[in-house]
Amino acid sequence: DSGVTQTPKHLITATGQRVTLRCSPRSGDLSVYWYQQSLDQGLQFLIQYYNGEERAKGNILERFSAQQFPDLHSELNLSSLELGDSALYFCASSVEDRERETQYFGPGTRLLVL
Amino acid sequence: DAKTTQPNSMESNEEEPVHLPCNHSTISGTDYIHWYRQLPSQGPEYVIHGLTSNVNNRMASLAIAEDRKSSTLILHRATLRDAAVYYCILRDEETSGSRLTFGEGTQLTVNP
């Protein structure tokens, strides 16, 4: 158990809909990362927040957005969903924001868009 | 970002050592070498990291070539639980921040 929790575990929805994925980082971790894992693209970095502020952006679509709240939990919002958004979404956390920091991953949310 | 090259797959027998290679010929002086693994149906987990010297921890050892253009993750006695995809990742705060950039990794199969 990494200490990072993600809800829900599974999500099935239809094209055009909007969903929210939730992540609670390990206690004391200030940095939260979101990654997407699909069969054709592998594991890709989406976005990072550090202590409530956006710190880095990766290959995140404009239809996707995220935020980190004062209690440090984070939400990833996916809107106008398409079939190709079906994937595993992982959240990770680390204490600080340095390249030597270990990232601890949650169990993921499996999203299926029908 | 500097690139890493790993074999797509490797096989090992239980209780034998496993050496997982990674080539990173364009590594810069400030790149840290990190290894993560992803067990089936789980999120990735940290294994080990190093800069120049060989490193050991309770999970594995990391052997880094003197010129740093390659490294090897060593599992001293493979167990069935070590069957996973192993990712070798270079991290440089100046060029990529603290994000992890995953390649395709090596799928390790452990035979009983």
Side-chain angles (χ1 to χ4, degrees):
Chain A
D1 184 357
S2 67
V4 178
T5 59
Q6 290 187 248
T7 56
K9 285 187 84 163
H10 302 276
L11 202 45
I12 302 174
T13 188
T15 55
Q17 295 298 303
R18 174 190 166 94
V19 297
T20 297
L21 312 184
R22 184 188 166 102
C23 167
S24 293
R26 291 187 327 151
S27 177
D29 284 1
L30 298 176
S31 210
V32 170
Y33 309 78
W34 285 97
Y35 294 85
Q36 179 194 57
Q37 185 171 33
S38 60
L39 281 173
D40 53 342
Q41 300 277 356
L43 258 166
Q44 288 202 92
F45 167 74
L46 294 178
I47 196 164
Q48 177 201 359
Y49 277 80
Y50 177 75
N51 204 20
E53 301 284 329
E54 182 184 302
R55 183 58 66 99
K57 255 183 170 174
N59 298 327
I60 187 166
L61 299 170
E62 280 192 26
R63 301 183 284 108
F64 296 1
S65 65
Q67 53 185 322
Q68 186 179 26
F69 295 86
D71 67 353
L72 301 177
H73 92 270
S74 177
E75 292 181 356
L76 180 67
N77 300 297
L78 315 176
S79 61
S80 304
L81 284 166
E82 301 175 1
L83 296 177
D85 298 327
S86 296
L88 266 167
Y89 291 84
F90 290 105
C91 165
S93 72
S94 64
V95 176
E96 290 285 342
D97 174 27
R98 296 193 202 106
E99 81 287 357
R100 281 159 284 172
E101 293 267 349
T102 297
Q103 290 186 19
Y104 296 89
F105 284 76
T109 292
R110 186 176 292 277
L111 173 67
L112 182 58
V113 182
L114 299 174
Chain B
D1 289 341
K3 220 173 132 50
T4 62
T5 305
Q6 299 178 252
N8 286 337
S9 62
M10 288 185 67
E11 228 173 290
S12 169
N13 295 320
E14 206 175 2
E15 298 191 5
E16 289 184 359
V18 183
H19 290 234
L20 296 162
C22 180
N23 286 318
H24 28 78
S25 58
T26 60
I27 191 170
S28 75
T30 51
D31 279 333
Y32 280 80
I33 303 161
H34 288 249
W35 285 80
Y36 280 73
R37 71 180 185 180
Q38 187 173 18
L39 303 171
S41 303
Q42 293 189 31
E45 66 174 349
Y46 168 80
V47 178
I48 200 166
H49 79 278
L51 183 62
T52 55
S53 308
N54 294 344
V55 185
N56 300 298
N57 66 21
R58 63 173 181 80
M59 284 180 75
S61 296
L62 176 59
I64 302 172
E66 204 168 318
D67 63 4
R68 299 205 332 122
K69 292 185 187 234
S70 65
S71 60
T72 302
L73 179 71
I74 303 164
L75 307 179
H76 295 286
R77 287 181 73 213
T79 69
L80 296 177
R81 201 197 167 273
D82 292 320
V85 179
Y86 286 78
Y87 297 98
C88 169
I89 300 167
L90 302 183
R91 298 177 76 185
D92 179 349
E93 186 173 8
E94 288 180 20
T95 58
S96 58
S98 54
R99 73 184 70 182
L100 290 169
T101 302
F102 291 86
E104 295 190 7
T106 297
Q107 173 70 63
L108 175 66
T109 301
V110 180
N111 300 313

